[in-house]
Amino acid sequence: MECEEVRDQFADYLIDNLQEPARLEVRNHLAACESCRSEAEGLKTLWTKLGTIPAAEPGPELRARFQVMLEAYRHGLDQAPSRSFRQSMNEWLARWWPAQPVLQFGLALVLLVVGVAAGWRLRPEPVVQPNGEITELRGELRQMRQMVALSLMQQQSASERLKGVNWSYQLQQPDREVLTALLDTLMHDPNVNVRLAAVDALRQFGGQPVVRTGVVEALGRQDSPMVQVALIDLVVDLKEKESVDTLRKLTQDEKLNEAVRTRAQKGLQELE
Ligand SMILES: [Zn+2]
């Protein structure tokens, strides 16, 4: 099987809906092909994570919105030049959707995200002019990304939470909910690496007042020297004058790590 042919079968393969010998062929290909394997892994992870999103029982509103989104997606496919991956994804959706309405809503979302993402990736120059539907679809996609980020940030494992923080990078204009989750992660996550990643993620949203306030507050409460240094650098880069008091307190804290105090001292000089 060629890669593209194999990828066409991913969705069926992942929910164990593939007959022999196709199933074996996909499995053999995955064993041999690094790039298909990682694509399948990504799809599987996303699918698992979406399954844990509390919205597993979507209200009628969400369901209706999804229908609209699905229609828009199909409509977009009809207008686009034929491409086997998208086409088969479309056929797959058409085949699956009415037949198995009880299957977890998350699967539909995941296929849509993956299908749309794959479509965009395969065709970076949009042939269809951006119109209302596409814009709306992008908005929905953004919401889904946010859901994924939020869901990952609540996971037990630190590496999953790290992924969630990294997902938030993909959001150009995150909702307040995502910013709050990032700030909450920065404030309370027990893992230093996750908190450091949150500092990096928040940096790009540093124009937002809620982020600036939250970052200053977090600076006063961190106990890890690495995170403290990262936060000092951040408030200095953001030229956040509100952090001056906190920085001064840090420089006066005799129990504080020496490197952190020095950094705070320097930061203070730059801001004053
Ligand atoms: Zn392959």
Side-chain angles (χ1 to χ4, degrees):
M1 266 194 203
E2 300 286 324
C3 289
E4 191 166 353
E5 208 181 329
V6 167
R7 287 173 194 210
D8 283 354
Q9 316 262 14
F10 272 179
D12 282 328
Y13 180 74
L14 284 177
I15 61 160
D16 208 14
N17 192 30
L18 214 53
Q19 305 297 318
E20 303 294 1
R23 197 162 75 106
L24 190 65
E25 282 180 49
V26 172
R27 191 189 301 154
N28 288 343
H29 183 93
L30 289 181
C33 176
E34 167 78 44
S35 96
C36 285
R37 195 162 57 235
S38 79
E39 182 131 347
E41 275 306 310
L43 185 61
K44 199 168 154 191
T45 311
L46 191 60
W47 147 233
T48 312
K49 291 313 145 206
L50 279 170
T52 66
I53 291 175
E57 290 176 27
E61 204 180 310
L62 183 60
R63 205 181 283 276
R65 254 187 20 219
F66 177 74
Q67 279 296 349
V68 171
M69 189 163 71
L70 189 63
E71 284 310 311
Y73 172 61
R74 284 182 180 154
H75 186 68
L77 286 181
D78 290 345
Q79 290 186 339
S82 93
R83 198 84 198 215
S84 76
F85 180 82
R86 287 204 316 278
Q87 216 168 29
S88 60
M89 189 61 89
N90 192 27
E91 279 165 13
W92 193 91
L93 276 170
R95 192 151 45 89
W96 171 82
W97 182 252
Q100 297 277 355
V102 292
L103 259 191
Q104 220 168 4
F105 184 68
L107 179 59
L109 285 182
V110 93
L111 289 171
L112 192 72
V113 173
V114 171
V116 172
W120 283 350
R121 206 186 48 207
L122 290 170
R123 185 169 49 86
E125 296 292 325
V127 177
V128 184
Q129 288 300 312
N131 55 30
E133 272 174 354
I134 300 285
T135 311
E136 194 178 322
L137 186 56
R138 288 203 173 129
E140 299 286 357
L141 195 61
R142 201 185 111 235
Q143 280 190 354
M144 276 190 259
R145 287 209 178 109
Q146 301 209 137
M147 273 165 66
V148 173
L150 287 168
S151 157
L152 285 171
M153 276 190 261
Q154 288 159 13
Q155 299 298 310
Q156 289 280 320
S157 109
S159 69
E160 295 299 297
R161 296 199 303 277
L162 201 54
K163 269 189 220 157
V165 171
N166 290 335
W167 262 84
S168 71
Y169 276 96
Q170 299 186 24
L171 305 167
Q172 258 123 47
Q173 295 168 306
D175 283 353
R176 202 183 166 103
E177 202 182 347
V178 171
L179 296 178
T180 308
L182 280 173
L183 287 167
D184 190 64
T185 297
L186 170 60
M187 202 73 103
H188 303 295
D189 199 289
N191 184 290
V192 172
N193 289 325
V194 177
R195 298 208 300 277
L196 280 173
V199 176
D200 283 338
L202 285 162
R203 176 179 289 271
Q204 64 177 341
F205 310 126
Q208 314 236 23
V210 61
V211 171
R212 303 177 79 99
T213 313
V215 160
V216 173
E217 196 186 335
L219 177 57
R221 300 214 204 155
Q222 288 297 319
D223 50 13
S224 150
M226 275 202 298
V227 181
Q228 285 169 326
V229 167
L231 279 172
I232 292 170
D233 289 348
L234 178 57
V235 294
V236 170
D237 290 347
L238 293 177
K239 301 190 173 37
E240 181 53 63
K241 302 275 186 200
E242 296 295 319
S243 67
V244 165
D245 285 347
T246 310
L247 287 173
R248 188 170 294 117
K249 266 186 212 142
L250 290 178
T251 63
Q252 290 160 355
D253 184 350
E254 309 223 320
K255 278 178 273 173
L256 200 63
N257 177 296
E258 192 56 41
V260 177
R261 283 175 68 184
T262 312
R263 198 71 149 243
Q265 186 63 50
K266 260 193 186 158
L268 204 52
Q269 283 162 2
E270 284 189 48
L271 286 177
E272 277 182 329

